[in-house]
Structure formats: structure tokens, C-alpha cells
Amino acid sequence: MKIGSKIFIAGRYGLVGSAIERVLRRNGYANIIGLSSKELDLRKEEETKRYLEQERPEYVILAAARVGGIMANTEMPVDFLLDNLRIQNNVIAASQACGVKKLLFLASSCIYPRLCPQPMKEEYLLSGKLEPTNEGYALAKIAGLKLCEYMKRQYHADFISVMPCNLYGIEDNFHPEYSHVIPALIRRFHLAKVQQLPQVTIWGTGRARREVMYSDDLADACLFLLKNDYSEGQFINIGIGMDYTIREIAEKIRDVVGYPGEMVFDTSRPDGMPQKVLDVSRIRQMGWHPRVSLEEGLRQTYRYYTEKVYPKEQTAQNQKKGV
């Protein structure tokens, strides 16, 4: 991939897309395009195709997706299935029709079977039943992986896919009900600290295990694969290769936030998959390694929340109260 190559980031302003743009720009890639979902609705086939025909990017990074935590996936499985299928199908098909040189599709480790052997190797995909709490999202992402694989087989398109572990970082979603575990806990601990609450309630037993990676590390791995012209038909895992219990993650977030109160686990709430840790031996053998520790990543994310997100939340609340 040349420095001047035109790169379309679908989902440019989300958690993953924004991280990819930051890493690309730090490495000298400046010819980057992409619109917000309000400006370009990738769920609409003709709109998506027209944009790609007009812009003619050489590279497409498909980071756009409808994402959310356990509650969102459980309450809106139709939305997660249909929206993600539409986005993926439209971008991948239009990229092939417009002669895109290379496409990189981002999946998610939550699409591995619920009781998958650990660590999860690439060949374990579709070897068992999916986790019920995110089945709609998982089915869509599996379809995206397979569509890229079939595009390569039928049309010889250089479309590759990556399977990242759970991600967090700048531009994450801190919605009080529909966010993933790390942004949800950052928000919860911060509000408890500000309001001087005696305890914070956390969903589940705290024993479920998760592999979590700072979003800029994923972006760095994607650039590594593009610069090294990775072109294999099989997707590749990207992660840190180790996991933590939800309790351990919550304790680290509590320390970063500086919250002095108690943690209480609501065992009536679901844990989701019992464990998720990726086998990252393939990308490690290629020479890529993550750089950001969990503690540093949490500090960066908490700083982003307090400087960019929390002030907006306060302004919105004051407006609602008429202050």
C-alpha cells in the first residue's frame, strides 16, 4: 500500500475506524475518505454503490457495523442481524464491482462458538453453537467473513478479514444501557465517584473471562497486514493472547478512575460467553505484537471519557432539566 493510496474507511468515526485513521495518519497515509452515517447510509445499496463509483478508492477498510453490549444484542437481534448484513453486503459487493484493489473486513471474536476450546484458533469457527446473547450479530459477521472468502474464490478479489478480540478506546460508545463492558464500567465508576455512591453494581458473576485490546493496537495490526500484503483466504486472529476475569477488569477500572467504594455483582444478570481468548500465533509469527498495556489503555480511555464525553452528558442533562 503506497503512501498516496486512496483509502476509504467505512465507519470512519467509530471506535475502530477512528483508530485506524489515527494510525494511518501517524504513518504518513493522508489520502483518507469516509463519511458519517448521517451523510452516507451504508445500509442503502444504491447510495453505497454510487459513493464508491464516484470516489474510486484503491483500498477499503470495512469497520462500519452496528455494535452493542449484551442488553442491546438481546433486545434488538433483528436490528443487529439486518443492519450488519446490509452494511457488509453493500460495501463488499460495491467494492468488487468498482475494482477496489484490496478490502479489509473486520469481524469479532464473539462469533466463535459459545463453548469453543481455548485459546480459539481460526479453524474453530462454525464448530459449535453460538452464544445466544449475541447470535444475530454473530450470524451477520460470519456471513461477512464468508462473503469475502467467496469473493476471493469466485472473482479473485483481494478481500481479507481479521478477527479482533474485544476492543475499547477513544471514540467508544458509553451509552448507559447499550455499551460494551469497559466503557459501561468506566462510566458507572466515574458517576459513582462524582455522586459519592457507596457501591457499583456489575452484571454477572465476575468470573467470565475476556481478552481486551486497545483499539489503536488493532489499527496498528491492520496496517501491518496491509503493508505486508497479507492476502490469504482465511481470516486471521488479532489480540493480545491472554485474558482477564470481568472482576479483574473492573478492579483495574476502579483503580484508574479512583473510585473508593465497593463492587457488587448481580448474579441474576447473564455473563455471556464463559471465556474468550484468541490464539494469535499466526500474526505473532509474522512479526506483529501489541504495544499498549491494559492499564495504559484504560487511562487513555478514561481521559477521553472525562474530557470529551462526560461534559456533553452533563450539558444534555442540564438542558433536559431546563438549567
Side-chain angles (χ1 to χ4, degrees):
M1 188 166 68
K2 297 177 181 178
I3 288 293
S5 294
K6 192 173 190 179
I7 305 166
F8 168 43
I9 302 177
R12 182 181 185 180
Y13 300 108
L15 169 66
V16 175
S18 63
I20 289 173
E21 179 164 2
R22 282 194 301 275
V23 169
L24 286 173
R25 291 191 181 279
R26 281 202 295 266
N27 285 271
Y29 298 89
N31 193 5
I32 299 169
I33 62 169
L35 301 173
S36 70
S37 57
K38 293 180 179 179
E39 298 168 304
L40 173 63
D41 190 345
L42 297 172
R43 296 172 299 178
K44 296 180 179 179
E45 182 179 0
E46 288 305 316
E47 197 171 324
T48 303
K49 187 177 180 181
R50 184 164 55 249
Y51 179 77
L52 282 166
E53 286 176 339
Q54 290 172 350
E55 295 292 341
R56 294 285 172 175
E58 296 174 69
Y59 291 81
V60 171
I61 299 173
L62 181 40
R66 185 184 188 113
V67 297
I70 289 177
M71 181 182 288
N73 274 273
T74 303
E75 291 182 353
M76 299 178 287
V78 172
D79 304 76
F80 278 84
L81 178 59
L82 287 181
D83 282 354
N84 284 303
L85 283 174
R86 287 167 178 153
I87 291 167
Q88 295 162 188
N89 290 347
N90 292 340
V91 174
I92 293 170
S95 295
Q96 190 276 326
C98 293
V100 166
K101 186 175 181 179
K102 195 181 196 80
L103 179 143
L104 186 149
F105 172 71
L106 288 123
S108 169
S109 63
C110 70
I111 73 178
Y112 277 110
R114 170 178 168 75
L115 300 177
C116 194
Q118 305 291 322
M120 300 182 292
K121 297 181 179 181
E122 286 88 349
E123 56 263 33
Y124 293 164
L125 186 68
L126 296 175
S127 63
K129 292 185 178 181
L130 300 172
E131 162 59 39
T133 59
N134 69 303
E135 188 176 77
Y137 176 80
L139 287 168
K141 285 295 181 179
I142 290 169
L145 284 175
K146 287 298 179 182
L147 183 55
C148 288
E149 180 184 321
Y150 299 157
M151 283 288 187
K152 191 174 190 69
R153 183 190 307 171
Q154 185 172 339
Y155 296 112
H156 307 290
D158 193 2
F159 290 5
I160 63 172
S161 301
V162 299
M163 184 83 86
C165 66
N166 289 44
L167 303 169
Y168 68 96
I170 296 170
E171 297 294 345
D172 214 334
N173 173 22
F174 293 86
H175 191 280
E177 296 175 346
Y178 297 143
S179 55
H180 285 119
V181 61
I182 285 182
L185 289 179
I186 285 175
R187 183 181 189 277
R188 207 172 298 169
F189 278 119
H190 179 74
L191 293 181
K193 175 185 173 181
V194 170
Q195 297 168 15
Q196 298 183 327
L197 301 179
Q199 64 184 36
V200 167
T201 300
I202 300 166
W203 276 30
T205 64
R207 294 192 295 270
R209 304 188 68 88
R210 293 291 181 268
E211 177 182 13
V212 292
M213 181 169 64
Y214 191 55
S215 56
D216 283 40
D217 267 343
L218 168 64
D220 184 68
C222 290
L223 178 57
F224 175 86
L225 293 172
L226 291 171
K227 288 174 71 174
N228 286 277
D229 199 27
Y230 178 82
S231 296
E232 292 185 24
Q234 186 183 36
F235 65 88
I236 186 167
N237 287 338
I238 300 177
I240 63 172
M242 61 176 290
D243 59 0
Y244 304 87
T245 65
I246 295 299
R247 177 183 287 275
E248 289 171 333
I249 293 171
E251 288 171 346
K252 289 180 183 294
I253 293 172
R254 180 178 62 179
D255 291 344
V256 166
V257 172
Y259 171 68
E262 182 185 3
M263 299 190 309
V264 176
F265 289 87
D266 182 356
T267 57
S268 69
R269 300 289 191 170
D271 274 334
M273 289 178 68
Q275 185 179 22
K276 287 197 307 178
V277 60
L278 294 174
D279 183 318
V280 294
S281 56
R282 287 178 62 209
I283 195 165
R284 289 289 178 89
Q285 288 167 6
M286 294 172 63
W288 182 83
H289 299 271
R291 301 177 182 178
V292 182
S293 69
L294 178 57
E295 290 78 8
E296 178 58 27
L298 290 175
R299 282 194 291 270
Q300 294 284 355
T301 307
Y302 180 53
R303 184 180 301 118
Y304 168 76
Y305 174 74
T306 55
E307 293 179 356
K308 301 293 183 182
V309 180
Y310 181 66
K312 292 181 181 178
E313 291 178 345
Q314 293 302 105
T315 299
Q317 285 185 2
N318 291 336
Q319 290 175 344
K320 190 174 182 180
K321 294 176 182 177
V323 176

